[in-house]
Amino acid sequence: MGKKTVFSGIQPSGSLTIGNYIGAIKNWISLQNEYDCYYCIVDLHAITVPQVPKDLRKNTLELLSIYLASGLDPEKSTIFIQSHIPAHAELTWVLNTISYMGQLGRMTQYKEKSQRSEENLNAGLFTYPVLMAADILLYQTDLVPVGEDQKQHLELARDLAERFNNRYSPTFKVPEPLIKKEGAKIMSLQNPKSKMSKSDENENGYILILDKPDVIRKKVKRAVTDSIGKVKYNDEQLGIKNLMNIYSVFSGDSIQEIENRYGGTGYGKFKEDVAEVVVEGLTPIQEKYDYYMKNKDYLEKVYKQAAEKANYISMKTLRKVYRKVGFIQR
Ligand code: TYM
């Protein structure tokens, strides 16, 4: 038996937060040795909100540089750009025809986004999760490492795979989500009840992967906590709980170890140390990022080579699908 397959992706829609890093990229790294991994830059998804074309191009290369700087290895994983592989859009069309409007309308992210972008309520926002399902199903994916917020989309991908398999005949593998408990949902530093997101109006709510040390220190210092004054992991202290999760992921220390170490000290010292582990974790990534951004030829080599493999694998699935729905062979 060959290796199992992993697929995941991130939108190239501007700077990434440590939420993206912890919920996704960091987990991807460790999967590279054991699985056949596909890590995608989902530019087709990104245009569901208005983009400035030259910024989208820049953001795409920046995201590729972040992937590489974080430790994704093009010798081990297929690191590619979604729009380079026509099968993604083609399978989306077929899956659209077995997707129910009702189910798509119930997607939490769609509901949130449609409230935010009333003047741009385009059909792409609505069928966005169908494109995501196509991404995953094309590669006969076993596992999809994502943050908690993508769980509902994953369920849709599973439903569509099963529906297609039942209606025609077994074609798609039904994928499983891989959501790590710690770090599945990193919260805003300013409002620990809502997800850390780069679309937050308050920039103190998020830490970007490319934030400089002083900015990180300032943002952690300003993070909202509580008046209890004891570093303890529980749902009464959501701000502290979030900082503990961040500390734990970056340092590798368990929550219990962190409680033991900081239970007796005040929040001041704890916050200082949280900022330091984040700075220590991000600095080497930032240095490598600068290196890759200066080597555009290398980036091009990476995505072009990956596109060949992604194209080959995805076309195998697409050909099967086209045959089963009754299209004449090209
Ligand atoms: P996107 O670009 O919004 O986010 C990329 C990844 O980061 C995770 N994430 C978080 N994890 C923990 N805490 C947070 N605060 C946080 N914010 C973001 C997300 O869960 C995600 O894993 N639709 C997807 C991209 C996509 C995709 C796919 C993913 C397209 N096709 C196929 C997996 C498989 C999205 O918009 O993610």
Side-chain angles (χ1 to χ4, degrees):
M1 286 297 282
K3 286 181 179 174
K4 288 191 168 183
T5 300
V6 162
F7 186 101
S8 200
I10 298 181
Q11 294 189 66
S13 44
S15 318
L16 261 63
T17 71
I18 58 167
N20 299 121
Y21 178 70
I22 297 171
I25 303 178
K26 193 160 187 300
N27 300 325
W28 299 359
I29 315 274
S30 54
L31 298 165
Q32 292 185 108
N33 289 326
E34 249 180 278
Y35 296 88
D36 189 15
C37 299
Y38 293 83
Y39 296 127
C40 189
I41 296 173
V42 295
D43 53 353
L44 298 176
H45 278 99
I47 61 164
T48 54
V49 295
Q51 301 284 340
V52 177
K54 78 171 184 350
D55 292 348
L56 179 57
R57 267 189 287 274
K58 183 167 153 277
N59 291 338
T60 301
L61 293 181
E62 284 181 4
L63 182 52
L64 177 57
S65 297
I66 286 184
Y67 279 6
L68 299 174
S70 306
L72 293 187
D73 180 349
E75 299 292 325
K76 296 180 182 161
S77 301
T78 308
I79 304 169
F80 70 104
I81 299 172
Q82 190 184 29
S83 63
H84 291 180
I85 311 298
H88 289 248
E90 293 191 62
L91 181 60
T92 302
W93 179 254
V94 177
L95 294 180
N96 269 336
T97 66
I98 62 162
S99 298
Y100 301 132
M101 304 282 282
Q103 190 174 16
L104 295 182
R106 282 193 297 277
M107 295 289 132
T108 319
Q109 212 163 69
Y110 167 72
K111 287 197 275 186
E112 282 169 13
K113 280 192 184 167
S114 56
Q115 275 162 8
R116 256 190 274 137
S117 52
E118 267 164 27
E119 72 288 3
N120 178 39
L121 199 45
N122 65 78
L125 268 183
F126 189 65
T127 59
Y128 174 112
V130 184
L131 174 59
M132 178 162 160
D135 297 341
I136 297 166
L137 301 182
L138 275 174
Y139 299 89
Q140 304 294 345
T141 300
D142 296 281
L143 281 179
V144 186
V146 283
E148 182 74 36
D149 61 342
Q150 296 300 318
K151 201 171 170 197
Q152 198 185 24
H153 292 161
L154 244 296
E155 272 154 26
L156 179 83
R158 288 170 56 86
D159 281 355
L160 292 177
E162 281 168 357
R163 197 173 301 151
F164 189 95
N165 290 348
N166 289 334
R167 189 167 303 181
Y168 298 95
S169 62
T171 308
F172 296 121
K173 191 165 274 175
V174 182
E176 299 282 343
L178 180 66
I179 301 172
K180 284 262 177 91
K181 204 171 125 266
E182 18 7 289
K185 197 168 184 190
I186 298 298
M187 310 309 278
S188 158
L189 299 182
Q190 289 298 311
N191 174 11
K193 286 196 173 117
S194 74
K195 187 185 76 167
M196 180 182 285
S197 162
K198 57 199 164 203
S199 50
D200 196 331
E201 280 162 24
N202 183 348
E203 61 179 28
N204 286 319
Y206 53 77
I207 296 174
L208 300 176
I209 296 183
L210 297 179
D211 272 347
K212 292 295 166 218
D214 283 348
V215 176
I216 296 172
R217 291 189 187 106
K218 190 191 77 195
K219 287 178 176 176
V220 175
K221 198 168 179 186
R222 290 187 185 161
V224 169
T225 51
D226 54 68
S227 55
I228 297 173
K230 202 166 154 52
V231 176
K232 198 165 179 328
Y233 196 78
N234 66 85
D235 288 337
E236 308 296 299
Q237 297 171 263
L238 290 176
I240 286 292
K241 182 179 174 185
N242 190 39
L243 291 176
M244 291 176 83
N245 279 329
I246 294 172
Y247 187 109
S248 169
V249 171
F250 275 101
S251 66
D253 296 344
S254 70
I255 295 297
Q256 191 57 53
E257 283 169 330
I258 298 167
E259 250 177 33
N260 295 345
R261 192 171 314 142
Y262 295 99
T265 65
Y267 290 164
K269 170 73 178 140
F270 175 56
K271 281 180 159 182
E272 269 174 32
D273 288 2
V274 171
E276 286 324 305
V277 295
V278 175
V279 168
E280 256 173 54
L282 295 183
T283 303
I285 298 178
Q286 297 178 356
E287 286 167 4
K288 288 185 200 133
Y289 168 83
D290 290 336
Y291 167 80
Y292 287 116
M293 282 304 283
K294 285 189 202 118
N295 284 281
K296 298 277 160 51
D297 290 349
Y298 177 69
L299 296 181
E300 187 179 325
K301 219 169 89 188
V302 168
Y303 65 68
K304 285 201 165 157
Q305 207 171 347
E308 280 178 32
K309 177 172 176 197
N311 202 38
Y312 175 77
I313 301 291
S314 59
M315 277 312 291
K316 281 212 279 199
T317 301
L318 189 72
R319 271 196 298 273
K320 261 194 222 166
V321 169
Y322 275 14
R323 183 159 39 82
K324 297 200 184 189
V325 301
F327 296 161
I328 287 178
Q329 209 182 336
R330 309 183 184 185

